[in-house]
Amino acid sequence: MSKEFEVVVIGSGPAGYHAAIRAAQLGFKTACIEKWLNKDDKTVYGGTCLNVGCIPSKALLDTSHKYVEAQHDFETHGIKVGKVGIDVPAMIQRKDNVVKQLTGGVAGLFTANKVEGISGTGKVIAKDKVLVTGHDGKQEELLTKYIIIAAGSVPIDIPPAPVDQDTIVDSTGALEFQAVPKRLGVIGAGVIGLELGSVWSRLGAEVVILEALDEFLPMVDRQIAKEASKILTAQGLEIKLGARVTGSKVGKGAKKSVTVEYTDKNGEQKATFDKLIVAVGRKPYTVDLLDPAVGIEQDERGFIKVNDYCETSVPNVYAVGDLVRGPMLAHKGMEEGIMVAERLAEQKAQVNYALVPSVIYTHPEIAWVGKNEEQLKEEGVDYNVGVFPFVASGRALAANDAEGMVKLIADARTDRILGCHIIGPSAADLLQQAAIAMEFSGSAEDLGITMFSHPTLSEALHEAALAANGHAIHIGNRRRKK
Ligand code: FAD
Ligand code: AMP
């Protein structure tokens, strides 16, 4: 027996559930297939982001940050709290509760919007047909006008450090430790490695991050990356650059440890840890997803090939989120999901890929949008730079949270904002103000003439905009030009 729909979405991560809800809002009869089961074997919506990604990692980052504040910061404010301890199982349980609330929320949104959630694994078997295999092995065909593939991504594993989810874990396992490891190794100083390394370092683990590249955060503006390296190292993260992991050996016995072999500029090295997190990136997940006869093309790394509108090589079949080109970020997938649904309804939607914001949720946060100085130099663009340090911000000092800076880059000729790069308190939220200005082709002057509430952290962005044109009030104006 087969069921008929107008839109079938495969995967309910941020890309898939946004696509499904928007399609249903626009009047399409929509189904969303999801294969994820929670610890109680119940179907859960929300994908990597809600279950083992953005949300649980931020829950642990928030808990561990409060722990650090209670230990080191409260006293500065005159607050006496006595001996501070951490109950790791309670922290993990709170994280699980947040995940449960949010995944349940997606199920509720499906019901409210009349999206039919279907439990099982979807496979595209024709341009208008998806085969669903339930967890009991029963199969059902869905006929549909449009297919949106949003099957997401999974962690990359590397042969030198095979994940056993016990001693050697991936990002999912690192969200489940039941005790603070004494010595923790992390392979990869990317976004996920820095965030998860920070969580356990704040709770007392000695953390060593092994990174194959010689440069720290190569995708980040150099000035900001340098500041980040200084701050994170001072917090206790040991970041070894130019250290390529080549092998590992897990010890025997109840209290296993892992010895990692790596090479650096001095030759072959060894280090022993109680736990090792492999955080070397993610890859598109397309296992048993596509019947090759349908002709949906993939690139050499397994990403489904799409154009700017997320159309695949097969008409009426779309792909969105982590399994297509571009940064693997939840919000990028969400926008793609919405764009595809709206284009099915013949609306002129598009995604502005030039303005995808990026964030690393360490403390302070690191956030950026648009071009950095190095990119602009390479493109031969003349620009002005305005930098404002948080140490000159009244609000940041009042909060005892004044590390970092806001850096705004504007075109020297037109004053149009080309990039914003922040390391500092609430950088992710502050950045969004620059992103909005950039979406409307705003200039540094536009931000400069906007009235900002005092005292706010946002004033640092205001001052950086003024500084780009040489008239910041709260710092000396040494206007830097390219
Ligand atoms: P996914 O979220 O991976 O969802 C895909 C869904 O499809 C899954 O639920 C999967 O079960 C389902 N599926 C796959 N195949 C099938 C099939 N054949 N049939 C049915 N269902 C199927 N991004 C941010 O923007 N901000 C962050 O702070 C952030 N933090 C992160 C922290 C960690 C630790 C990790 C691992 C990732 C983080 N990310 C973050 C990345 C973010 O989680 C992903 O970019 C995002 O989840 C991708 O969304 P998606 O919908 O494309 O895929
Ligand atoms: P990201 O893709 O941002 O999650 O970052 C993953 C990081 O892991 C990259 O900076 C890679 O250089 C790094 N990496 C990949 N393989 C290895 C390895 N064998 N040893 C050390 N670092 C690695």
Side-chain angles (χ1 to χ4, degrees):
M1 232 201 50
S2 58
K3 271 192 187 166
E4 282 186 36
F5 291 94
E6 288 167 296
V7 175
V8 169
V9 182
I10 303 177
S12 73
Y17 87 74
H18 277 71
I21 290 174
R22 190 72 189 112
Q25 284 175 350
L26 289 162
F28 293 103
K29 187 171 186 251
T30 304
C32 183
I33 310 165
E34 178 53 67
K35 72 188 187 98
W36 200 300
L37 298 176
N38 67 9
K39 290 172 191 165
D40 308 321
D41 273 352
K42 300 242 163 62
T43 297
V44 276
Y45 302 113
T48 302
C49 168
L50 262 50
N51 289 289
V52 295
C54 321
I55 298 299
S57 58
K58 265 79 261 175
L60 299 189
L61 280 159
D62 283 337
T63 300
S64 57
H65 180 59
K66 285 185 196 301
Y67 179 69
V68 170
E69 284 190 313
Q71 276 186 317
H72 304 294
D73 190 43
F74 283 7
E75 211 174 327
T76 322
H77 289 271
I79 303 170
K80 300 226 179 297
V81 286
K83 193 170 177 328
V84 180
I86 181 75
D87 177 344
V88 176
M91 171 183 79
I92 300 290
Q93 185 59 53
R94 188 195 80 91
K95 178 263 295 177
D96 288 345
N97 294 344
V98 174
V99 168
K100 195 167 170 193
Q101 189 174 345
L102 287 167
T103 53
V106 177
L109 290 172
F110 277 3
T111 308
N113 286 284
K114 299 194 172 56
V115 172
E116 187 168 331
I118 297 180
S119 177
T121 303
K123 179 172 184 168
V124 183
I125 53 170
K127 66 176 181 19
D128 55 358
K129 217 182 269 176
V130 177
L131 178 70
V132 183
T133 305
H135 297 288
D136 55 6
K138 281 199 193 124
Q139 292 193 317
E140 181 182 34
E141 275 183 14
L142 309 183
L143 290 177
T144 182
K145 206 164 162 189
Y146 305 109
I147 297 172
I148 305 176
I149 308 170
S153 63
V154 288
I156 292 177
D157 29 36
I158 47 171
V163 167
D164 59 17
Q165 289 307 23
D166 180 16
T167 313
I168 305 182
V169 301
D170 58 18
S171 58
T172 302
L175 298 168
E176 296 294 330
F177 292 156
Q178 292 296 314
V180 181
K182 192 164 174 314
R183 270 183 67 79
L184 173 68
V186 180
I187 311 180
V191 178
I192 293 176
L194 289 176
E195 290 187 2
L196 294 174
S198 291
V199 166
W200 296 104
S201 157
R202 291 169 188 176
L203 299 178
E206 274 169 52
V207 177
V208 178
I209 304 185
L210 302 167
E211 167 56 57
L213 299 176
D214 292 322
E215 198 170 26
F216 182 57
L217 294 176
M219 67 294 203
V220 175
D221 182 275
R222 284 302 78 207
Q223 188 179 5
I224 302 288
K226 228 168 117 190
E227 185 75 4
S229 169
K230 207 171 72 193
I231 294 173
L232 296 176
T233 304
Q235 287 175 3
L237 288 180
E238 188 179 344
I239 303 166
K240 289 185 186 289
L241 297 176
R244 173 169 292 280
V245 173
T246 53
S248 64
K249 203 174 215 164
V250 177
K252 297 211 166 55
K255 219 166 165 273
K256 291 179 219 154
S257 60
V258 51
T259 301
V260 175
E261 289 155 18
Y262 63 95
T263 52
D264 65 12
K265 61 179 186 318
N266 299 316
E268 290 183 7
Q269 311 288 344
K270 274 188 186 168
T272 301
F273 304 107
D274 300 303
K275 299 273 182 196
L276 178 67
I277 303 175
V278 181
V280 296
R282 299 180 61 83
K283 60 183 180 194
Y285 182 71
T286 55
V287 174
D288 209 21
L289 176 69
L290 311 170
D291 184 333
V294 185
I296 297 167
E297 287 175 17
Q298 291 171 258
D299 71 15
E300 63 289 349
R301 294 198 296 155
F303 289 96
I304 294 182
K305 285 191 190 172
V306 289
N307 63 11
D308 282 354
Y309 304 118
C310 294
E311 294 166 337
T312 69
S313 50
V314 174
N316 296 340
V317 179
Y318 299 79
V320 291
D322 276 11
L323 52 54
V324 303
R325 55 53 207 126
M328 286 186 167
L329 291 169
H331 42 278
K332 174 259 191 188
M334 294 174 186
E335 293 302 317
E336 289 179 334
I338 289 174
M339 169 183 72
V340 168
E342 293 185 345
R343 291 184 76 85
L344 296 184
E346 284 168 24
Q347 296 184 5
K348 284 195 171 66
Q350 58 185 19
V351 170
N352 185 354
Y353 287 102
L355 292 184
V356 180
S358 294
V359 182
I360 308 175
Y361 291 86
T362 44
H363 193 90
E365 292 174 351
I366 304 160
W368 66 98
V369 66
K371 299 276 170 76
N372 61 39
E373 274 203 71
E374 292 69 37
Q375 290 166 327
L376 291 169
K377 270 184 199 139
E378 204 168 305
E379 289 172 18
V381 176
D382 286 343
Y383 57 83
N384 294 327
V385 179
V387 174
F388 190 79
F390 281 103
V391 74
S393 150
R395 190 73 187 88
L397 284 176
N400 194 32
D401 201 358
E403 282 184 309
M405 69 188 88
V406 175
K407 173 171 182 173
L408 194 88
I409 309 180
D411 189 293
R413 200 172 46 86
T414 64
D415 195 39
R416 186 175 172 161
I417 304 166
L418 301 175
C420 184
H421 309 268
I422 308 178
I423 177 166
S426 302
D429 291 284
L430 296 187
L431 183 85
Q432 215 51 48
Q433 304 174 36
I436 294 169
M438 291 167 78
E439 188 66 42
F440 291 102
S441 306
S443 62
E445 185 186 28
D446 289 331
L447 274 187
I449 60 176
T450 302
M451 198 184 295
F452 281 64
S453 301
H454 175 75
T456 53
L457 295 174
S458 304
E459 286 174 303
L461 176 64
H462 189 220
E463 289 273 353
L466 293 173
N469 283 314
H471 49 91
I473 301 293
H474 294 90
I475 43 162
N477 283 285
R478 279 177 300 138
R479 187 153 76 144
R480 206 145 63 71
K481 276 172 138 259
K482 193 240 159 189

